[in-house]
Amino acid sequence: MRFPFLLGTALTLVIAIAPDAVLKTQAVQLRDGTVYFVQPPSLEGAITTYKTTYAWGATYYFTINLPENAGEPLQKITINQHQGVDRVRFDLEDTVVFEGKPRDQRQKQQLKYVTSDRKTRTVSLTFDPPIPPGKTITIGLKPYQNPGVSGVYLFGIKAFPAGEKSYGQFLGYGRLQFYSPTFL
């Protein structure tokens, strides 16, 4: 019964004496050099500007929040198409990343590399410089054309902290649904 009280008192004293030391977070680094986020980013949502099949000119937006206590900046994001009948191909030259949400675009972020692996259906984005903790960013990918088959398309999002050997944290699936146009 006394141990929880003593532990609580000790933690209170540490926070009172050195609050900056307690509030600053360091990245988790394993003995082999692998770097992890202390608090991983979160996928805030995914939307598209056009939901009809075969539509031209759409943009798929993926919004990611990197918390203040992430411990490391965000170096890389991968977006992998997990579900959907048609394979979505993107015009990588038109990829944009900006601070904020799609309706609240702020400062544009610089990209070092944007690559695509056709076999794995994965787009990889490397930031230069890395995105510091405490930011919300949105990635805008432009498909050449929306899928021709209606249905749900899932895109798995992974985030990698800065470092030579970083662990990719799975953030979840961005879900986009496409509908066939109806003609009356």
Side-chain angles (χ1 to χ4, degrees):
M1 199 61 144
R2 285 185 68 150
F3 180 73
F5 173 76
L6 292 174
L7 181 62
T9 304
L11 286 174
T12 303
L13 286 172
V14 168
I15 291 171
I17 294 169
D20 290 338
V22 173
L23 296 176
K24 288 184 181 176
T25 54
Q26 298 288 324
V28 176
Q29 187 169 10
L30 300 182
R31 193 174 295 169
D32 70 355
T34 304
V35 178
Y36 289 77
F37 288 110
V38 171
Q39 177 67 40
S42 59
L43 176 63
E44 298 292 312
I47 61 170
T48 179
T49 53
Y50 296 111
K51 295 182 179 188
T52 55
T53 55
Y54 294 110
W56 295 89
T59 302
Y60 303 170
Y61 290 111
F62 301 91
T63 301
I64 297 160
N65 180 42
L66 183 61
E68 286 283 345
N69 60 343
E72 277 291 320
L74 175 63
Q75 178 72 59
K76 178 179 170 183
I77 292 283
T78 60
I79 301 173
N80 173 257
Q81 183 184 341
H82 279 272
Q83 181 177 311
V85 176
D86 279 353
R87 183 176 72 85
V88 179
R89 291 182 29 234
F90 296 100
D91 184 356
L92 301 181
E93 296 289 320
D94 284 339
T95 301
V96 296
V97 179
F98 53 86
E99 193 177 327
K101 297 183 178 185
R103 295 184 191 268
D104 180 30
Q105 295 184 24
R106 292 184 292 239
Q107 182 178 354
K108 189 174 179 184
Q109 302 295 310
Q110 296 298 314
L111 290 165
K112 185 174 185 178
Y113 304 112
V114 181
T115 60
S116 179
D117 183 333
R118 291 183 72 166
K119 287 182 184 179
T120 63
R121 298 180 175 192
T122 302
V123 173
S124 299
L125 302 99
T126 303
F127 304 106
D128 185 28
I131 310 296
K135 302 272 186 190
T136 296
I137 62 163
T138 297
I139 298 164
L141 291 175
K142 292 186 178 276
Y144 286 106
Q145 183 179 21
N146 274 354
V149 177
S150 62
V152 172
Y153 286 72
L154 295 179
F155 297 88
I157 313 296
K158 266 190 179 177
F160 296 80
E164 285 185 33
K165 189 174 181 183
S166 60
Y167 177 79
Q169 177 72 43
F170 182 71
L171 307 184
Y173 292 103
R175 181 183 188 276
L176 301 177
Q177 184 155 1
F178 299 97
Y179 302 95
S180 296
T182 54
F183 301 100
L184 297 176

